[in-house]
Amino acid sequence: MSGKTDKGAKKEKKDRTPMPEQEPAERINNFKEVALGYTEEDALREASRCLQCKNPKCIKGCPVEINIKEFIRLISGKKFGEALAVIRERNSLPAICGRVCPQEDQCEKECILGLKDRPVAIGRLERYVADRELKRLADIGKECVYLDGNYKCSGEKVAIIGSGPAGLTCASELAKMGYQVTLFEALHKPGGVLVYGIPEFRLPKDIVRKEIEYLKSMDVDLRVNMVMGKILTIRELFDQGYKAVFIATGAGLPHFMNIPGENLNGVYSANEYLTRSNLMKAYEFPKSDTPIVKGKRVAVIGGGNVAMDSARTARRLGAEHVYLIYRRSEKEMPARNEEIEHARQEGIEFMLLTNPARISGKDGWVNSIRLQKMELREPDSSGRRRPVPVEGSGFDLDVDVVIVAVGQGPNPLLTATIKELGLDGRGLIKADPETGKTTVRGVFAGGDIVTGAATVILAMGAGRKAARAIDEFIKTGKW
Amino acid sequence: MYKIVKKKELTPDIIQYLVEAPLIAKKAKAGQFVVIRVNENGERVPLTISSYQHDKGIISLVAMRVGKSTALLSELEEGDSILDVVGPLGNPSEIENFGRVICVGGGVGVAVVLPIAVELKKAGNYVISIMGAKTEKVLILEKEMKEASDELYICTDDGSRGYHGFVSGFLEEYLSRHLANRENKKHGIDRVVAIGPALMMAAVARVTEQYRIKTIVSLNSIMVDGTGMCGACRVEVGGKTKFVCVDGPEFDAHEVNFDLLVSRQKIYCDQESACYDLYKKDCKCKK
């Protein structure tokens, strides 16, 4: 489907430029990135599809309002460096967002071309300019755009808790303003969900590492192995002279279904399964020391991106059958279309309108899962149609690994140590959506710990807004 | 990087490491643990903090060589560093003046029960300690346990020292003797803290249940992050799923499903022994 490329014809209709990808049969045997990225030719061709609307709606669809029209115009003029600069004004992690943003629900959803045809592939273009710069730097022996080695921040001290998308963005914005930023991370590696959650084949960890190197070059003091609330309290941070604290601890608490058999050996939370594989590199066991149970018949419960990541990881770890079990229909699946499509291409077997009732085992190990068919009734509070079990539809499926990917909640480890901090019924921090201000003076919060599990770009947007609000708070002292 | 300032072989396989970790030492309380990672490819291993010197910034960790990770750790010498040490994690032990408390430690579990015995004694309890090991040669921290206790009893599986048998057997005899004595009615046993292999803790729980003595155990399940993020360490307590890392590590022994704990501890047995064998073979080649 590469489309016709008749020269001469002005603005003739061009199909959306496809993304070069690793073939499914090949990629299920490795953890390398699936989407290979546009070539220059692809990027120019795709950029030429942009209508350069007078009133560009795409920009409003972007949570951080990148000047999309302008960066695409610059790509068309082969001014790739300038295009990247335009993106960076608003988004400090373009190589990451170009890969994992749900563009189809944001900028690309608003694209006028999308009315009759498919929208401009904005995300792929964003990725292209970011990757091109990383490649250019690598060619001259650099990892990232290090700021001048003498870059020194001398402003007031700000503490950021959590080094995922919200924390990283807030840190970079504040460092740019000259604040002395300390970024605390509980795990041994920074990056949060970008590192422990999203698999290598969707977001290479080297890209995350480079973005973090960039941050370090901005004099951000990164401290890993710091479980805040345990090793230091928020009160103590203020005592140490920090003027503001930004909490961005994410949604790291796995939900289970509370059905019988969930504690059998071979049953994982998606968080554990992905952490073992991504953060601990269990797919390289025994080269890496962390093991993982490699099932032959794996059931993944859930229909979001985390479920797709788990299913595709199981496939790469050698599963012959991976069943994706989701209680609603494909239309209601929260996962991105691209992920669903990739999962299907990789032979993931979808069992829709199906829900687990119990997990059974032998000698402590899971060996089967009891499923029942569901049907959709009237919409529930989430606006999605409510699934109810079809009577007498139960059946058993033989499996040796079950991965539960039915959502994550906020981790109470830190929030429990500061009683004045207002939380909602789910344990999420109550914070002003525009500023991130919480119920405690000087304490801001943003990302999944405020919204519940959402997207990378929304968390980044919250980090940016909080950085501005923190700047204002420190300058004016007004709360 | 966390420097090992002192390393001491308590037995050929059980090693004590004094590690520089000032922030952790300042906050650590009895019953809490750390997660360590020896090197870049290392797994995350939970180890209980066996003692801590707040002023010197040092924590003591005791680990038995059982697999590749603990073997790698044991290769480190004084002056070397552990790549990652995270903590203090988990909830501290409940320490107050309960009255008469029995502290039971089995094998390397003695190192874990020691700081709890120390704190219980400080809080004014009459501390009776029972420590056990396979044989006399592998008894650890006896002097320290003696200092922390009003009475100390030793058990060995082979009878080479003290009571011949398991700590649970001794405990049963002790309780029946002690509580049969009418004089002791007003000096009942107010609490038992038992730490060691899962089967030992289960056996102790069965004994104390008959006497309805509140019993606390510290569970040693498999963990990854140690902060409540993954659920690898989940156990069943009172019929409900709990995470050892954030809800524990200490629980009411009479509510713990020990069968499940034992079963879940074995998840990676095969893989881990294969990994260890590979490592040992590799070690020999180098030598």
Side-chain angles (χ1 to χ4, degrees), chain A residues 188 225 230 236 252-253 262-263 265 267-269 271-272 289 292 411, chain B residues 27 41 44 68 84 90 227-230 232 234 241 263-264 268 271:
Chain A
H188 56 263
N225 294 330
K230 289 282 184 188
E236 286 168 314
L253 195 76
E262 240 174 338
N263 292 333
N265 292 353
V267 182
Y268 283 104
S269 73
N271 260 14
E272 181 185 353
D289 296 341
I292 195 165
N411 191 324
Chain B
K27 286 292 171 83
N41 284 323
R44 294 173 64 99
K68 183 177 172 186
D84 299 298
T227 63
M229 208 184 87
C230 79
R234 61 199 191 275
T241 294
S263 170
R264 288 190 61 82
Y268 302 104
Q271 278 165 291

PDB file of all heavy atoms in Angstrom, chain A residues 188 225 230 236 252-253 262-263 265 267-269 271-272 289 292 411, chain B residues 27 41 44 68 84 90 227-230 232 234 241 263-264 268 271:
ATOM      1  N   HIS A 188      16.225   0.654  41.127  1.00  0.00           N
ATOM      2  CA  HIS A 188      17.656   0.891  40.920  1.00  0.00           C
ATOM      3  C   HIS A 188      17.932   1.589  39.591  1.00  0.00           C
ATOM      4  O   HIS A 188      19.054   1.958  39.310  1.00  0.00           O
ATOM      5  CB  HIS A 188      18.447  -0.418  41.014  1.00  0.00           C
ATOM      6  CG  HIS A 188      17.954  -1.482  40.064  1.00  0.00           C
ATOM      7  ND1 HIS A 188      17.085  -2.471  40.444  1.00  0.00           N
ATOM      8  CD2 HIS A 188      18.188  -1.681  38.753  1.00  0.00           C
ATOM      9  CE1 HIS A 188      16.820  -3.244  39.400  1.00  0.00           C
ATOM     10  NE2 HIS A 188      17.472  -2.782  38.353  1.00  0.00           N
ATOM     11  N   ASN A 225      17.316   4.080  44.239  1.00  0.00           N
ATOM     12  CA  ASN A 225      17.221   3.296  45.477  1.00  0.00           C
ATOM     13  C   ASN A 225      16.661   4.106  46.647  1.00  0.00           C
ATOM     14  O   ASN A 225      16.990   3.846  47.788  1.00  0.00           O
ATOM     15  CB  ASN A 225      18.594   2.737  45.885  1.00  0.00           C
ATOM     16  CG  ASN A 225      19.113   1.713  44.893  1.00  0.00           C
ATOM     17  OD1 ASN A 225      18.318   1.017  44.264  1.00  0.00           O
ATOM     18  ND2 ASN A 225      20.413   1.626  44.742  1.00  0.00           N
ATOM     19  N   LYS A 230       9.875   6.003  53.318  1.00  0.00           N
ATOM     20  CA  LYS A 230      10.600   5.072  54.171  1.00  0.00           C
ATOM     21  C   LYS A 230      11.949   5.678  54.562  1.00  0.00           C
ATOM     22  O   LYS A 230      12.302   5.741  55.723  1.00  0.00           O
ATOM     23  CB  LYS A 230      10.857   3.753  53.427  1.00  0.00           C
ATOM     24  CG  LYS A 230       9.613   2.928  53.217  1.00  0.00           C
ATOM     25  CD  LYS A 230       9.235   2.216  54.498  1.00  0.00           C
ATOM     26  CE  LYS A 230       8.035   1.305  54.306  1.00  0.00           C
ATOM     27  NZ  LYS A 230       7.553   0.771  55.585  1.00  0.00           N
ATOM     28  N   GLU A 236      10.812  15.849  56.123  1.00  0.00           N
ATOM     29  CA  GLU A 236      12.278  15.953  56.178  1.00  0.00           C
ATOM     30  C   GLU A 236      12.842  16.662  54.953  1.00  0.00           C
ATOM     31  O   GLU A 236      13.849  17.363  55.047  1.00  0.00           O
ATOM     32  CB  GLU A 236      12.903  14.566  56.326  1.00  0.00           C
ATOM     33  CG  GLU A 236      12.742  13.988  57.725  1.00  0.00           C
ATOM     34  CD  GLU A 236      13.106  12.509  57.801  1.00  0.00           C
ATOM     35  OE1 GLU A 236      12.672  11.728  56.931  1.00  0.00           O
ATOM     36  OE2 GLU A 236      13.804  12.138  58.735  1.00  0.00           O
ATOM     37  N   GLY A 252       1.420   2.115  40.603  1.00  0.00           N
ATOM     38  CA  GLY A 252       2.255   0.918  40.608  1.00  0.00           C
ATOM     39  C   GLY A 252       1.717  -0.229  41.431  1.00  0.00           C
ATOM     40  O   GLY A 252       2.430  -1.165  41.729  1.00  0.00           O
ATOM     41  N   LEU A 253       0.462  -0.153  41.828  1.00  0.00           N
ATOM     42  CA  LEU A 253      -0.063  -1.212  42.688  1.00  0.00           C
ATOM     43  C   LEU A 253      -0.967  -2.127  41.866  1.00  0.00           C
ATOM     44  O   LEU A 253      -2.009  -1.708  41.392  1.00  0.00           O
ATOM     45  CB  LEU A 253      -0.868  -0.573  43.830  1.00  0.00           C
ATOM     46  CG  LEU A 253      -1.186  -1.487  44.999  1.00  0.00           C
ATOM     47  CD1 LEU A 253       0.037  -1.694  45.861  1.00  0.00           C
ATOM     48  CD2 LEU A 253      -2.306  -0.890  45.834  1.00  0.00           C
ATOM     49  N   GLU A 262      -5.852 -17.537  42.554  1.00  0.00           N
ATOM     50  CA  GLU A 262      -4.995 -16.468  42.039  1.00  0.00           C
ATOM     51  C   GLU A 262      -3.580 -16.482  42.619  1.00  0.00           C
ATOM     52  O   GLU A 262      -2.687 -15.837  42.092  1.00  0.00           O
ATOM     53  CB  GLU A 262      -5.638 -15.106  42.332  1.00  0.00           C
ATOM     54  CG  GLU A 262      -5.901 -14.341  41.087  1.00  0.00           C
ATOM     55  CD  GLU A 262      -6.672 -13.056  41.349  1.00  0.00           C
ATOM     56  OE1 GLU A 262      -7.359 -12.939  42.391  1.00  0.00           O
ATOM     57  OE2 GLU A 262      -6.595 -12.181  40.500  1.00  0.00           O
ATOM     58  N   ASN A 263      -3.393 -17.219  43.727  1.00  0.00           N
ATOM     59  CA  ASN A 263      -2.059 -17.265  44.317  1.00  0.00           C
ATOM     60  C   ASN A 263      -1.285 -18.517  43.933  1.00  0.00           C
ATOM     61  O   ASN A 263      -0.212 -18.786  44.473  1.00  0.00           O
ATOM     62  CB  ASN A 263      -2.156 -17.152  45.844  1.00  0.00           C
ATOM     63  CG  ASN A 263      -2.638 -15.765  46.254  1.00  0.00           C
ATOM     64  OD1 ASN A 263      -2.430 -14.797  45.521  1.00  0.00           O
ATOM     65  ND2 ASN A 263      -3.299 -15.684  47.394  1.00  0.00           N
ATOM     66  N   ASN A 265       1.163 -20.981  41.876  1.00  0.00           N
ATOM     67  CA  ASN A 265       2.411 -20.733  41.148  1.00  0.00           C
ATOM     68  C   ASN A 265       2.108 -20.649  39.650  1.00  0.00           C
ATOM     69  O   ASN A 265       1.368 -21.481  39.124  1.00  0.00           O
ATOM     70  CB  ASN A 265       3.406 -21.870  41.394  1.00  0.00           C
ATOM     71  CG  ASN A 265       3.898 -21.900  42.829  1.00  0.00           C
ATOM     72  OD1 ASN A 265       3.594 -20.994  43.605  1.00  0.00           O
ATOM     73  ND2 ASN A 265       4.653 -22.925  43.170  1.00  0.00           N
ATOM     74  N   VAL A 267       0.813 -17.850  38.375  1.00  0.00           N
ATOM     75  CA  VAL A 267      -0.102 -16.713  38.193  1.00  0.00           C
ATOM     76  C   VAL A 267       0.672 -15.445  38.550  1.00  0.00           C
ATOM     77  O   VAL A 267       1.243 -15.338  39.635  1.00  0.00           O
ATOM     78  CB  VAL A 267      -1.356 -16.822  39.084  1.00  0.00           C
ATOM     79  CG1 VAL A 267      -2.290 -15.640  38.826  1.00  0.00           C
ATOM     80  CG2 VAL A 267      -2.072 -18.143  38.830  1.00  0.00           C
ATOM     81  N   TYR A 268       0.698 -14.522  37.609  1.00  0.00           N
ATOM     82  CA  TYR A 268       1.444 -13.280  37.782  1.00  0.00           C
ATOM     83  C   TYR A 268       0.527 -12.070  37.706  1.00  0.00           C
ATOM     84  O   TYR A 268      -0.455 -12.086  36.966  1.00  0.00           O
ATOM     85  CB  TYR A 268       2.433 -13.100  36.625  1.00  0.00           C
ATOM     86  CG  TYR A 268       3.687 -13.930  36.674  1.00  0.00           C
ATOM     87  CD1 TYR A 268       3.838 -15.049  35.863  1.00  0.00           C
ATOM     88  CD2 TYR A 268       4.738 -13.559  37.495  1.00  0.00           C
ATOM     89  CE1 TYR A 268       5.019 -15.779  35.876  1.00  0.00           C
ATOM     90  CE2 TYR A 268       5.920 -14.291  37.513  1.00  0.00           C
ATOM     91  CZ  TYR A 268       6.060 -15.395  36.707  1.00  0.00           C
ATOM     92  OH  TYR A 268       7.221 -16.102  36.720  1.00  0.00           O
ATOM     93  N   SER A 269       0.898 -11.003  38.400  1.00  0.00           N
ATOM     94  CA  SER A 269       0.336  -9.704  38.032  1.00  0.00           C
ATOM     95  C   SER A 269       1.123  -9.283  36.787  1.00  0.00           C
ATOM     96  O   SER A 269       2.289  -9.661  36.635  1.00  0.00           O
ATOM     97  CB  SER A 269       0.543  -8.687  39.151  1.00  0.00           C
ATOM     98  OG  SER A 269       1.903  -8.285  39.216  1.00  0.00           O
ATOM     99  N   ASN A 271       2.278  -6.472  36.271  1.00  0.00           N
ATOM    100  CA  ASN A 271       3.404  -5.689  36.788  1.00  0.00           C
ATOM    101  C   ASN A 271       4.614  -6.559  37.085  1.00  0.00           C
ATOM    102  O   ASN A 271       5.738  -6.205  36.751  1.00  0.00           O
ATOM    103  CB  ASN A 271       2.987  -4.990  38.091  1.00  0.00           C
ATOM    104  CG  ASN A 271       2.618  -3.542  37.864  1.00  0.00           C
ATOM    105  OD1 ASN A 271       2.421  -3.110  36.736  1.00  0.00           O
ATOM    106  ND2 ASN A 271       2.518  -2.798  38.937  1.00  0.00           N
ATOM    107  N   GLU A 272       4.370  -7.691  37.736  1.00  0.00           N
ATOM    108  CA  GLU A 272       5.501  -8.566  38.065  1.00  0.00           C
ATOM    109  C   GLU A 272       6.098  -9.175  36.793  1.00  0.00           C
ATOM    110  O   GLU A 272       7.308  -9.180  36.599  1.00  0.00           O
ATOM    111  CB  GLU A 272       5.081  -9.693  39.020  1.00  0.00           C
ATOM    112  CG  GLU A 272       6.281 -10.580  39.359  1.00  0.00           C
ATOM    113  CD  GLU A 272       5.968 -11.804  40.205  1.00  0.00           C
ATOM    114  OE1 GLU A 272       4.822 -11.944  40.677  1.00  0.00           O
ATOM    115  OE2 GLU A 272       6.882 -12.626  40.388  1.00  0.00           O
ATOM    116  N   ASP A 289      20.248 -12.686  36.134  1.00  0.00           N
ATOM    117  CA  ASP A 289      19.991 -13.644  37.219  1.00  0.00           C
ATOM    118  C   ASP A 289      18.529 -13.780  37.613  1.00  0.00           C
ATOM    119  O   ASP A 289      18.202 -14.551  38.499  1.00  0.00           O
ATOM    120  CB  ASP A 289      20.795 -13.249  38.464  1.00  0.00           C
ATOM    121  CG  ASP A 289      22.292 -13.345  38.213  1.00  0.00           C
ATOM    122  OD1 ASP A 289      22.674 -14.032  37.250  1.00  0.00           O
ATOM    123  OD2 ASP A 289      23.071 -12.730  38.969  1.00  0.00           O
ATOM    124  N   ILE A 292      12.000 -16.204  35.151  1.00  0.00           N
ATOM    125  CA  ILE A 292      10.580 -15.975  34.881  1.00  0.00           C
ATOM    126  C   ILE A 292      10.015 -17.318  34.419  1.00  0.00           C
ATOM    127  O   ILE A 292      10.746 -18.120  33.812  1.00  0.00           O
ATOM    128  CB  ILE A 292      10.396 -14.863  33.817  1.00  0.00           C
ATOM    129  CG1 ILE A 292       8.952 -14.359  33.781  1.00  0.00           C
ATOM    130  CG2 ILE A 292      10.827 -15.344  32.426  1.00  0.00           C
ATOM    131  CD1 ILE A 292       8.794 -13.041  33.018  1.00  0.00           C
ATOM    132  N   ASN A 411       0.122   3.421  44.609  1.00  0.00           N
ATOM    133  CA  ASN A 411       0.869   2.783  45.689  1.00  0.00           C
ATOM    134  C   ASN A 411       0.801   3.686  46.932  1.00  0.00           C
ATOM    135  O   ASN A 411       1.180   4.847  46.862  1.00  0.00           O
ATOM    136  CB  ASN A 411       2.315   2.582  45.255  1.00  0.00           C
ATOM    137  CG  ASN A 411       3.078   1.687  46.207  1.00  0.00           C
ATOM    138  OD1 ASN A 411       2.860   1.725  47.414  1.00  0.00           O
ATOM    139  ND2 ASN A 411       3.951   0.883  45.667  1.00  0.00           N
TER     140      ASN A 411
ATOM    141  N   LYS B  27      17.352   5.223  59.679  1.00  0.00           N
ATOM    142  CA  LYS B  27      15.907   4.987  59.746  1.00  0.00           C
ATOM    143  C   LYS B  27      15.534   3.568  60.153  1.00  0.00           C
ATOM    144  O   LYS B  27      14.390   3.311  60.518  1.00  0.00           O
ATOM    145  CB  LYS B  27      15.284   5.256  58.370  1.00  0.00           C
ATOM    146  CG  LYS B  27      15.185   6.731  58.019  1.00  0.00           C
ATOM    147  CD  LYS B  27      14.169   7.416  58.915  1.00  0.00           C
ATOM    148  CE  LYS B  27      14.179   8.931  58.774  1.00  0.00           C
ATOM    149  NZ  LYS B  27      13.407   9.425  57.680  1.00  0.00           N
ATOM    150  N   ASN B  41      23.838  -7.462  36.382  1.00  0.00           N
ATOM    151  CA  ASN B  41      22.905  -8.503  35.937  1.00  0.00           C
ATOM    152  C   ASN B  41      22.200  -9.190  37.097  1.00  0.00           C
ATOM    153  O   ASN B  41      21.464 -10.148  36.908  1.00  0.00           O
ATOM    154  CB  ASN B  41      23.649  -9.567  35.125  1.00  0.00           C
ATOM    155  CG  ASN B  41      23.966  -9.072  33.730  1.00  0.00           C
ATOM    156  OD1 ASN B  41      23.169  -8.355  33.128  1.00  0.00           O
ATOM    157  ND2 ASN B  41      25.140  -9.417  33.237  1.00  0.00           N
ATOM    158  N   ARG B  44      17.173  -8.941  42.374  1.00  0.00           N
ATOM    159  CA  ARG B  44      16.919  -8.184  43.602  1.00  0.00           C
ATOM    160  C   ARG B  44      16.621  -9.191  44.711  1.00  0.00           C
ATOM    161  O   ARG B  44      15.713  -9.992  44.586  1.00  0.00           O
ATOM    162  CB  ARG B  44      15.755  -7.216  43.388  1.00  0.00           C
ATOM    163  CG  ARG B  44      16.073  -6.113  42.376  1.00  0.00           C
ATOM    164  CD  ARG B  44      14.852  -5.277  42.047  1.00  0.00           C
ATOM    165  NE  ARG B  44      14.351  -4.539  43.181  1.00  0.00           N
ATOM    166  CZ  ARG B  44      14.604  -3.254  43.414  1.00  0.00           C
ATOM    167  NH1 ARG B  44      15.362  -2.574  42.581  1.00  0.00           N
ATOM    168  NH2 ARG B  44      14.101  -2.657  44.478  1.00  0.00           N
ATOM    169  N   LYS B  68      23.059 -18.501  43.279  1.00  0.00           N
ATOM    170  CA  LYS B  68      24.029 -17.655  42.595  1.00  0.00           C
ATOM    171  C   LYS B  68      24.164 -16.272  43.236  1.00  0.00           C
ATOM    172  O   LYS B  68      25.262 -15.784  43.441  1.00  0.00           O
ATOM    173  CB  LYS B  68      23.654 -17.509  41.121  1.00  0.00           C
ATOM    174  CG  LYS B  68      24.685 -16.705  40.351  1.00  0.00           C
ATOM    175  CD  LYS B  68      24.368 -16.623  38.885  1.00  0.00           C
ATOM    176  CE  LYS B  68      25.323 -15.646  38.198  1.00  0.00           C
ATOM    177  NZ  LYS B  68      24.976 -15.414  36.812  1.00  0.00           N
ATOM    178  N   ASP B  84      23.543  -2.064  44.710  1.00  0.00           N
ATOM    179  CA  ASP B  84      22.311  -1.420  45.176  1.00  0.00           C
ATOM    180  C   ASP B  84      21.880  -1.964  46.535  1.00  0.00           C
ATOM    181  O   ASP B  84      21.896  -3.176  46.741  1.00  0.00           O
ATOM    182  CB  ASP B  84      21.161  -1.687  44.196  1.00  0.00           C
ATOM    183  CG  ASP B  84      21.424  -1.136  42.809  1.00  0.00           C
ATOM    184  OD1 ASP B  84      21.579   0.095  42.697  1.00  0.00           O
ATOM    185  OD2 ASP B  84      21.481  -1.925  41.851  1.00  0.00           O
ATOM    186  N   GLY B  90       9.397  -2.608  54.509  1.00  0.00           N
ATOM    187  CA  GLY B  90       8.528  -3.375  55.390  1.00  0.00           C
ATOM    188  C   GLY B  90       8.227  -2.622  56.673  1.00  0.00           C
ATOM    189  O   GLY B  90       8.797  -1.564  56.945  1.00  0.00           O
ATOM    190  N   THR B 227       8.414  -3.043  47.186  1.00  0.00           N
ATOM    191  CA  THR B 227       7.681  -1.824  47.516  1.00  0.00           C
ATOM    192  C   THR B 227       6.184  -1.927  47.207  1.00  0.00           C
ATOM    193  O   THR B 227       5.488  -0.919  47.140  1.00  0.00           O
ATOM    194  CB  THR B 227       8.235  -0.613  46.740  1.00  0.00           C
ATOM    195  OG1 THR B 227       8.030  -0.844  45.336  1.00  0.00           O
ATOM    196  CG2 THR B 227       9.707  -0.405  46.999  1.00  0.00           C
ATOM    197  N   GLY B 228       5.696  -3.132  46.989  1.00  0.00           N
ATOM    198  CA  GLY B 228       4.255  -3.302  46.745  1.00  0.00           C
ATOM    199  C   GLY B 228       3.868  -3.198  45.290  1.00  0.00           C
ATOM    200  O   GLY B 228       2.693  -3.143  44.945  1.00  0.00           O
ATOM    201  N   MET B 229       4.861  -3.179  44.413  1.00  0.00           N
ATOM    202  CA  MET B 229       4.584  -2.910  43.013  1.00  0.00           C
ATOM    203  C   MET B 229       4.230  -4.154  42.201  1.00  0.00           C
ATOM    204  O   MET B 229       3.589  -4.058  41.173  1.00  0.00           O
ATOM    205  CB  MET B 229       5.826  -2.269  42.421  1.00  0.00           C
ATOM    206  CG  MET B 229       5.589  -1.358  41.291  1.00  0.00           C
ATOM    207  SD  MET B 229       7.176  -0.827  40.688  1.00  0.00           S
ATOM    208  CE  MET B 229       7.529  -2.138  39.548  1.00  0.00           C
ATOM    209  N   CYS B 230       4.683  -5.334  42.644  1.00  0.00           N
ATOM    210  CA  CYS B 230       4.522  -6.480  41.739  1.00  0.00           C
ATOM    211  C   CYS B 230       3.673  -7.616  42.288  1.00  0.00           C
ATOM    212  O   CYS B 230       3.047  -8.344  41.531  1.00  0.00           O
ATOM    213  CB  CYS B 230       5.883  -7.006  41.299  1.00  0.00           C
ATOM    214  SG  CYS B 230       6.732  -8.032  42.491  1.00  0.00           S
ATOM    215  N   ALA B 232       4.766 -10.326  43.787  1.00  0.00           N
ATOM    216  CA  ALA B 232       5.457 -11.617  43.779  1.00  0.00           C
ATOM    217  C   ALA B 232       5.397 -12.272  45.158  1.00  0.00           C
ATOM    218  O   ALA B 232       5.323 -13.482  45.280  1.00  0.00           O
ATOM    219  CB  ALA B 232       6.921 -11.429  43.377  1.00  0.00           C
ATOM    220  N   ARG B 234       3.134 -12.347  47.409  1.00  0.00           N
ATOM    221  CA  ARG B 234       1.836 -12.450  48.071  1.00  0.00           C
ATOM    222  C   ARG B 234       1.669 -13.765  48.839  1.00  0.00           C
ATOM    223  O   ARG B 234       2.143 -14.818  48.417  1.00  0.00           O
ATOM    224  CB  ARG B 234       0.686 -12.180  47.105  1.00  0.00           C
ATOM    225  CG  ARG B 234       0.550 -13.096  45.940  1.00  0.00           C
ATOM    226  CD  ARG B 234      -0.324 -12.409  44.874  1.00  0.00           C
ATOM    227  NE  ARG B 234      -0.719 -13.330  43.831  1.00  0.00           N
ATOM    228  CZ  ARG B 234       0.041 -13.603  42.771  1.00  0.00           C
ATOM    229  NH1 ARG B 234       1.217 -13.038  42.645  1.00  0.00           N
ATOM    230  NH2 ARG B 234      -0.393 -14.457  41.861  1.00  0.00           N
ATOM    231  N   THR B 241      -5.420 -12.188  50.683  1.00  0.00           N
ATOM    232  CA  THR B 241      -4.108 -12.039  50.059  1.00  0.00           C
ATOM    233  C   THR B 241      -3.410 -10.804  50.632  1.00  0.00           C
ATOM    234  O   THR B 241      -3.995  -9.726  50.693  1.00  0.00           O
ATOM    235  CB  THR B 241      -4.258 -11.900  48.536  1.00  0.00           C
ATOM    236  OG1 THR B 241      -4.777 -13.131  48.037  1.00  0.00           O
ATOM    237  CG2 THR B 241      -2.926 -11.611  47.870  1.00  0.00           C
ATOM    238  N   SER B 263       4.908 -23.469  49.036  1.00  0.00           N
ATOM    239  CA  SER B 263       4.731 -23.747  47.611  1.00  0.00           C
ATOM    240  C   SER B 263       5.276 -22.598  46.755  1.00  0.00           C
ATOM    241  O   SER B 263       5.997 -22.822  45.776  1.00  0.00           O
ATOM    242  CB  SER B 263       3.243 -23.972  47.339  1.00  0.00           C
ATOM    243  OG  SER B 263       3.003 -24.010  45.962  1.00  0.00           O
ATOM    244  N   ARG B 264       4.947 -21.383  47.152  1.00  0.00           N
ATOM    245  CA  ARG B 264       5.382 -20.233  46.340  1.00  0.00           C
ATOM    246  C   ARG B 264       6.887 -19.994  46.437  1.00  0.00           C
ATOM    247  O   ARG B 264       7.481 -19.419  45.526  1.00  0.00           O
ATOM    248  CB  ARG B 264       4.602 -18.968  46.723  1.00  0.00           C
ATOM    249  CG  ARG B 264       3.149 -19.008  46.251  1.00  0.00           C
ATOM    250  CD  ARG B 264       2.433 -17.669  46.420  1.00  0.00           C
ATOM    251  NE  ARG B 264       3.042 -16.588  45.671  1.00  0.00           N
ATOM    252  CZ  ARG B 264       2.839 -16.345  44.387  1.00  0.00           C
ATOM    253  NH1 ARG B 264       2.012 -17.107  43.696  1.00  0.00           N
ATOM    254  NH2 ARG B 264       3.427 -15.337  43.787  1.00  0.00           N
ATOM    255  N   TYR B 268      10.814 -20.932  41.516  1.00  0.00           N
ATOM    256  CA  TYR B 268      11.968 -20.868  40.604  1.00  0.00           C
ATOM    257  C   TYR B 268      13.067 -21.857  40.951  1.00  0.00           C
ATOM    258  O   TYR B 268      14.190 -21.720  40.476  1.00  0.00           O
ATOM    259  CB  TYR B 268      12.521 -19.433  40.584  1.00  0.00           C
ATOM    260  CG  TYR B 268      11.471 -18.440  40.163  1.00  0.00           C
ATOM    261  CD1 TYR B 268      10.850 -17.624  41.094  1.00  0.00           C
ATOM    262  CD2 TYR B 268      11.061 -18.365  38.834  1.00  0.00           C
ATOM    263  CE1 TYR B 268       9.853 -16.735  40.718  1.00  0.00           C
ATOM    264  CE2 TYR B 268      10.068 -17.488  38.443  1.00  0.00           C
ATOM    265  CZ  TYR B 268       9.468 -16.667  39.390  1.00  0.00           C
ATOM    266  OH  TYR B 268       8.489 -15.805  39.011  1.00  0.00           O
ATOM    267  N   GLN B 271      14.966 -23.402  37.948  1.00  0.00           N
ATOM    268  CA  GLN B 271      15.741 -22.406  37.210  1.00  0.00           C
ATOM    269  C   GLN B 271      16.924 -21.922  38.027  1.00  0.00           C
ATOM    270  O   GLN B 271      18.020 -21.739  37.512  1.00  0.00           O
ATOM    271  CB  GLN B 271      14.849 -21.218  36.830  1.00  0.00           C
ATOM    272  CG  GLN B 271      14.024 -21.482  35.589  1.00  0.00           C
ATOM    273  CD  GLN B 271      12.921 -20.453  35.460  1.00  0.00           C
ATOM    274  OE1 GLN B 271      11.977 -20.430  36.252  1.00  0.00           O
ATOM    275  NE2 GLN B 271      13.032 -19.593  34.474  1.00  0.00           N
TER     276      GLN B 271
END
